[in-house]
Amino acid sequence: MNDSKQIRWRRWYLLPAIPLLLVVLLGGAYLLLDNWLESAGGRDALAQELGQRIGMPVSLEGDFNVMLWPSVGASGDRLLIMPGEQQGPFLLANGYQVSIALRPLLEKRLVIESLSLQGGELSPQRYQRPEAGAERNTEIDLPEIDRLEIRDFQLLFQGEQDTRLAVKRFELTGFASGQTAPYSLQIDSLA
């Protein structure tokens, strides 16, 4: 067989193998990611990263599902942020979606790109960011985040008379401390 016939023969058999190889690689990557995120270690790592970014302990409870579309991440039906000494949670969400940056994940680092919370309650007075040497810091210090979305939440302001503000939708994009960032806010009603 001459060289040109061997090359054509190899091309004929290798071309269909390339898409098959890609499917096998993507399937294997999905299974590895799914197994890690579905494990207690993956869930704990995600909760710990969220907690570090927010500055308070985060608990991911209930159903926990891996997402590959529209981005890599996880979703679930209960996210709880509970400061240590406070009465009641700072934040309770009945649903959440977390998007994770893929490139750092390949380097065994967990970087959260966006967070979406649905249905729940937020009590700003219960915010407590622990700092070394300080008794209690109540100034909210949000971490850098590409996108934060909150839908159908109750903001609870405690005082002589508790006030509730129904937030239909709040979205913050491209946030970094000390810089302006675009946001949108849709308020439903005062209760």
Side-chain angles (χ1 to χ4, degrees):
M1 208 184 286
N2 65 27
D3 289 340
S4 66
K5 284 185 179 181
Q6 281 183 336
I7 291 172
R8 274 189 242 145
W9 181 79
R10 286 182 187 157
R11 234 186 258 160
W12 176 254
Y13 285 104
L14 290 178
L15 283 177
I18 290 172
L20 180 62
L21 182 62
L22 285 174
V23 168
V24 168
L25 286 174
L26 288 174
Y30 170 77
L31 289 175
L32 286 173
L33 180 65
D34 183 52
N35 285 334
W36 180 72
L37 282 175
E38 287 281 346
S39 72
R43 182 187 291 223
D44 291 346
L46 188 56
Q48 192 171 41
E49 178 65 22
L50 281 169
Q52 285 177 344
R53 295 189 106 198
I54 294 168
M56 289 187 288
V58 173
S59 176
L60 303 176
E61 302 170 350
D63 286 340
F64 186 79
N65 305 302
V66 174
M67 302 181 320
L68 289 180
W69 184 260
S71 62
V72 174
S75 64
D77 63 5
R78 186 171 163 91
L79 183 141
L80 180 66
I81 301 175
M82 181 81 83
E85 304 168 3
Q86 298 296 320
Q87 295 291 330
F90 165 69
L91 183 138
L92 171 63
N94 297 323
Y96 64 90
Q97 291 181 339
V98 180
S99 295
I100 301 168
L102 186 56
R103 177 169 276 167
L105 190 59
L106 297 174
E107 299 167 357
K108 297 184 181 179
R109 290 186 306 120
L110 189 60
V111 175
I112 295 171
E113 291 183 330
S114 70
L115 176 62
S116 177
L117 304 171
Q118 303 89 26
E121 187 174 278
L122 173 67
S123 300
Q125 290 86 358
R126 295 179 182 154
Y127 181 82
Q128 179 179 340
R129 185 178 184 100
E131 291 186 10
E135 291 215 6
R136 182 171 180 228
N137 182 8
T138 58
E139 182 178 314
I140 294 178
D141 182 20
L142 291 173
E144 187 174 312
I145 190 166
D146 288 339
R147 184 173 165 272
L148 171 66
E149 180 181 31
I150 297 174
R151 290 184 175 271
D152 301 321
F153 256 73
Q154 296 284 318
L155 285 178
L156 175 61
F157 298 99
Q158 296 172 323
E160 286 182 25
Q161 275 193 326
D162 289 351
T163 304
R164 289 184 179 269
L165 180 64
V167 176
K168 192 74 175 157
R169 182 174 170 266
F170 172 74
E171 185 173 3
L172 178 66
T173 55
F175 177 79
S177 186
Q179 298 179 7
T180 59
Y183 70 92
S184 65
L185 175 64
Q186 181 182 358
I187 299 171
D188 202 16
S189 65
L190 275 172

